[in-house]
């Protein structure tokens, strides 16, 4: 055994001794979360595990439990251990990256010993729940059914003791749903001793725990040792609308409440000190609910006090879009920023019956205003230029809402065509079949009635938007020969490497292998656009 191997061997032994000698153990098992307000699917690290880590760490310190250890694991770690014997195989040239075991922590090699270290008074926290069904390039969120199956398999393999606590969106009365067009998953929660939607909810407590919780970053490492964590930052919760949109769970969970500006900035600073460089102010119903002076302070102070590579936002209510707020985002955020507009439908009858955020006219006004100030790409030689416009809209369209019919698609196409005719930029159009959650107006008034009624049209309707709108807007957004900078290689699909810029709703870029060699994952490249698919692009290294 050479010297290097001997050092690694002794390090391993020391780590295992440390694990078993701890008097108390806590495990946070992140199965990933996605909500109308808040994303925690890799490469995003959500608020639930960070706040929870800070709470547990602070509690241990207060109770003078100096030797308590808190481990962060992902469902990918657990899948790799149970389904693949903790061995990750190389992705061969004809294979696709297995995204179910892609997001491993640096605790992954010791997962068996970590679970075995759980004592009778220790705790396993499972963070889980999707309320916004979507598709993810590099991750697969867990479901209650899957985690139940995995835990039962784990219990047969490892003697796991202690209390099991379910937290996150799945712990609410609404449950979880990975696919649109269906009711929320029926949940068997019998494996859990406690079900608590939010362990930490009070904003004064979050102010403290979010700072301590930044330490969790030290346990996150991606495939082959590279990591590019995007921190989802909470700015507010709940919704200020008098009547909730028919499908949305956010107003049912929380009343509208804003965090203190200083607390937001301090959390970003704490994460930045842990070398996180990518941030999205995304965990809120709509960022423009903040007033102009607070938006200016949040954005300017983050840029002034932190070393930032990406600062983006997420949800924007079309009704609250105004010139001053748009200008502040353009001035202080980084390029490639997207305003995710919850339009949902351009059918005025559907808007009315589902209490949607805005009329088609208001939505069009917002789209034009964001384009007016955000569509420019900046100075090509500028430090933050990455090829993308500074700030452009993205649209959310939902199928299955109350009152939907053929006229709904006609209205959608009418206004989408108007966007094209006005030469306006769009980053993307998200088209989903609505998920029906208990307690919402949609569930109580219609359930899946309109989903069933119009199911036969959905492929045709979606395909019309993709063919007639998406491809045209994509070519305007990223024309041929444009160079997109700082694209990170993320996964393989046969001979193709898929890359994205880091940020909110980044474009997927496919690069074919050259001379039988694919791009190295985890590396950054500058890519020239050579062609366009419906929703993604193809390119080559420059």
């Amino acid at each position: 055994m050479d010297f290097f191997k001997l050092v690694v061997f002794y390090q391993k032994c020391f780590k295992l001794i440390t694990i078993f000698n701890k008097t108390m153990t806590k495990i946070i098992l992140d199965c990933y979360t996605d909500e109308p307000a808040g994303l925690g699917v890799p490469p995003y690290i959500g608020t639930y595990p960070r706040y929870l880590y800070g709470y547990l760490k602070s509690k241990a310190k207060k109770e003078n439990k100096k030797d308590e250890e808190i481990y962060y694991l992902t469902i990918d770690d657990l899948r790799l251990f149970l389904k693949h014997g903790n061995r990750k195989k190389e992705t061969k040239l004809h294979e696709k990256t297995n995204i179910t075991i892609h997001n491993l922590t640096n605790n992954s090699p010791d997962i068996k010993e970590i679970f075995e270290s759980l004592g009778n008074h220790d705790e396993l926290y499972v963070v889980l729940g999707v309320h916004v069904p979507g598709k993810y390039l590099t991750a697969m969120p867990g479901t209650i059914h899957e985690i139940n199956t995995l835990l039962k398999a784990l219990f047969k393999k490892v003697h796991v003791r202690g209390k099991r606590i379910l937290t996150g969106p799945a712990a609410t009365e609404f449950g979880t749903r990975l696919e649109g067009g269906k009711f929320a998953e029926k949940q068997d929660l019998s494996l859990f001793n406690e079900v608590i939607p939010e362990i930490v909810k009070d904003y004064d407590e979050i102010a403290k725990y979010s700072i301590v919780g930044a330490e969790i970053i030290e346990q996150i490492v991606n495939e082959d040792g590279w990591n590019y964590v995007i921190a989802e930052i909470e700015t507010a919760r709940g919704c200020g609308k008098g009547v909730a949109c028919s499908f949305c769970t956010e107003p049912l969970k929380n009343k509208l409440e804003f965090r203190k500006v200083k607390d937001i900035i301090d959390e970003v600073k704490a994460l930045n000190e842990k070398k996180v460089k990518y941030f999205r102010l995304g965990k809120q119903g709509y960022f423009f609910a903040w007033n102009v002076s607070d938006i200016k302070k949040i954005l300017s102070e983050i840029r002034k006090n932190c070393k930032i590579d990406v600062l983006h936002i997420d949800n924007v209510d079309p009704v609250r879009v105004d010139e001053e707020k748009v200008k502040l985002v353009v001035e202080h955020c980084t390029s490639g920023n997207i305003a995710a507009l919850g339009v949902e439908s351009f059918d005025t009858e559907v808007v009315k019956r589902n209490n949607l955020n805005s009329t088609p006219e208001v939505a069009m006004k917002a789209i034009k205003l964001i384009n007016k100030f955000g569509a420019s790409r900046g100075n090509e030689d500028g430090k933050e230029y990455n090829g993308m416009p500074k700030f452009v809209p993205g649209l959310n369209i939902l199928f299955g809402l109350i009152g939907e019919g053929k006229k709904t698609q006609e209205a959608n196409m009418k206004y989408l065509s108007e966007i094209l005719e006005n030469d306006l930029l769009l980053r993307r159009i998200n088209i989903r079949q609505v998920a029906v959650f208990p307690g919402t107006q949609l569930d109580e008034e219609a359930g899946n009635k309109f989903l069933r009624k119009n199911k036969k049209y959905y492929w045709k309707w979606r395909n019309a938007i993709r063919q007639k709108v998406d491809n045209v807007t994509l070519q305007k957004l990223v024309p041929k020969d444009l160079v997109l900078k700082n694209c990170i290689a993320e996964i393989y699909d046969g001979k193709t490497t898929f890359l994205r810029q880091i940020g909110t709703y980044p474009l997927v870029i496919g690069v074919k292998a050259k001379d039988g060699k694919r791009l190295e994952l985890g590396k950054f490249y500058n890519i020239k656009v050579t062609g366009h698919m419906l929703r993604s692009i193809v390119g080559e290294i420059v």
Side-chain angles (χ1 to χ4, degrees), residues 197-215:
E198 293 182 74
I199 306 295
V200 184
K201 192 161 184 176
D202 180 78
Y203 270 163
D204 289 332
E205 290 186 339
I206 285 173
K208 299 177 290 184
Y209 299 146
S210 65
I211 304 301
V212 180
E215 188 180 304

Side-chain angles (χ1 to χ4, degrees), residues 142-322:
T143 64
I144 290 292
H145 175 74
E146 182 188 13
I147 199 62
N148 280 342
T149 302
L150 291 175
L151 287 179
K152 288 173 183 176
L154 179 68
F155 299 158
K156 291 179 181 178
K157 199 166 188 174
V158 178
H159 182 50
V160 179
R161 295 166 292 173
K163 184 186 291 185
R164 296 182 291 275
I165 300 133
L166 176 68
T167 188
T172 66
E173 62 185 291
F174 312 112
T176 183
R177 179 77 262 169
L178 281 188
E179 299 175 64
K182 298 181 180 179
F183 287 96
E185 175 186 27
K186 290 184 178 179
Q187 305 190 111
D188 175 8
L189 306 180
S190 59
L191 285 183
F192 297 97
N193 303 102
E194 292 186 38
V195 178
I196 310 172
E198 293 182 74
I199 306 295
V200 184
K201 192 161 184 176
D202 180 78
Y203 270 163
D204 289 332
E205 290 186 339
I206 285 173
K208 299 177 290 184
Y209 299 146
S210 65
I211 304 301
V212 180
E215 188 180 304
I216 200 173
I217 297 299
E218 296 172 3
Q219 300 189 45
I220 301 172
V221 109
N222 214 309
E223 181 175 315
D224 300 324
W226 53 274
N227 84 61
Y228 57 108
V229 174
I230 310 173
E232 181 87 338
I233 302 296
E234 182 174 4
T235 68
R237 63 162 63 109
C239 177
K241 286 183 63 184
V243 181
C245 295
S246 67
F247 59 91
C248 190
T249 59
E250 185 62 23
L252 304 180
K253 291 187 290 185
N254 300 297
K255 294 181 180 178
L256 182 62
E257 182 182 4
F258 295 89
R259 289 183 74 187
K260 294 175 183 175
V261 170
K262 181 181 181 300
D263 294 345
I264 297 169
I265 296 165
D266 286 346
E267 182 181 3
V268 174
K269 284 182 184 177
L271 287 160
N272 197 227
E273 288 173 4
K274 297 297 180 183
K275 297 186 169 49
V276 177
K277 305 182 289 184
Y278 313 112
F279 294 90
R280 184 172 80 161
L281 305 175
K283 198 173 194 302
Q284 77 277 313
Y286 31 85
F287 185 67
F288 283 174
W290 287 88
N291 62 45
V292 170
S293 61
D294 284 336
I295 289 175
K296 182 176 182 178
K297 188 170 184 181
I298 291 169
L299 298 180
S300 62
E301 287 294 309
I302 288 173
R303 295 311 302 271
K304 178 182 175 182
N305 293 287
C306 302
K307 294 179 180 179
I308 300 288
D309 283 356
V310 170
L311 179 61
H312 286 170
I313 66 168
D314 185 20
N315 297 324
V316 171
D317 183 349
V319 173
R320 296 172 183 264
V321 173
D322 66 45

Side-chain angles (χ1 to χ4, degrees), residues 317-449:
D317 183 349
V319 173
R320 296 172 183 264
V321 173
D322 66 45
E323 184 172 322
E324 283 186 278
K325 293 176 182 178
V326 171
K327 283 181 175 178
L328 285 171
V329 169
V330 171
E331 178 184 356
H332 295 291
C333 291
T334 57
S335 294
N337 202 2
I338 312 299
L341 299 174
V343 174
E344 321 305 354
S345 178
F346 286 100
D347 181 342
T348 53
E349 181 64 20
V350 171
V351 169
K352 182 180 178 181
R353 292 186 63 179
N354 293 272
N355 305 301
L356 301 184
N357 281 341
S358 70
T359 64
E361 291 74 23
V362 169
M364 290 301 300
K365 183 180 177 181
I367 291 166
K368 291 174 181 178
L369 192 59
I370 294 168
N371 265 269
K372 180 178 179 180
F373 298 103
S376 67
R377 299 178 196 272
N379 179 7
E380 196 164 333
D381 298 321
K383 181 182 176 183
E384 292 185 351
Y385 175 87
N386 67 0
M388 291 293 289
K390 292 180 178 178
F391 186 41
V392 293
L395 301 183
N396 296 336
I397 301 291
L398 276 178
F399 289 157
L401 296 175
I402 301 166
E404 175 189 82
K406 290 183 179 179
K407 60 183 175 45
T408 304
Q409 176 67 0
E410 293 171 5
N412 287 341
M413 290 302 297
K414 173 189 172 183
Y415 284 98
L416 291 173
S417 298
E418 185 179 323
I419 291 170
L420 295 180
E421 291 163 6
N422 283 273
D423 206 28
L424 299 169
L425 294 182
L426 285 179
R427 159 55 195 95
R428 56 98 178 118
I429 305 171
N430 271 2
I431 306 170
R432 299 189 183 101
Q433 292 181 54
V434 69
V436 185
F437 288 98
T440 61
Q441 178 197 342
L442 178 63
D443 176 51
E444 294 174 354
E445 188 174 327
N448 66 352
K449 173 183 174 181

Side-chain angles (χ1 to χ4, degrees), residues 48 102 114 126 308 321 499:
Y48 288 99
H102 189 57
I114 289 171
V126 175
I308 300 288
V321 173
L499 308 89

Side-chain angles (χ1 to χ4, degrees), residues 104-141:
L104 306 176
T105 69
N106 57 14
N107 291 320
S108 191
D110 306 308
I111 187 170
K112 183 175 184 290
E113 292 81 9
I114 289 171
F115 274 113
E116 286 179 339
S117 72
L118 282 172
N120 291 328
H121 301 289
D122 293 333
E123 295 164 337
L124 166 63
Y125 292 85
V126 175
V127 177
L128 188 150
V130 170
H131 285 177
V132 181
K135 293 183 179 179
Y136 311 93
L137 183 69
T138 62
M140 178 60 70

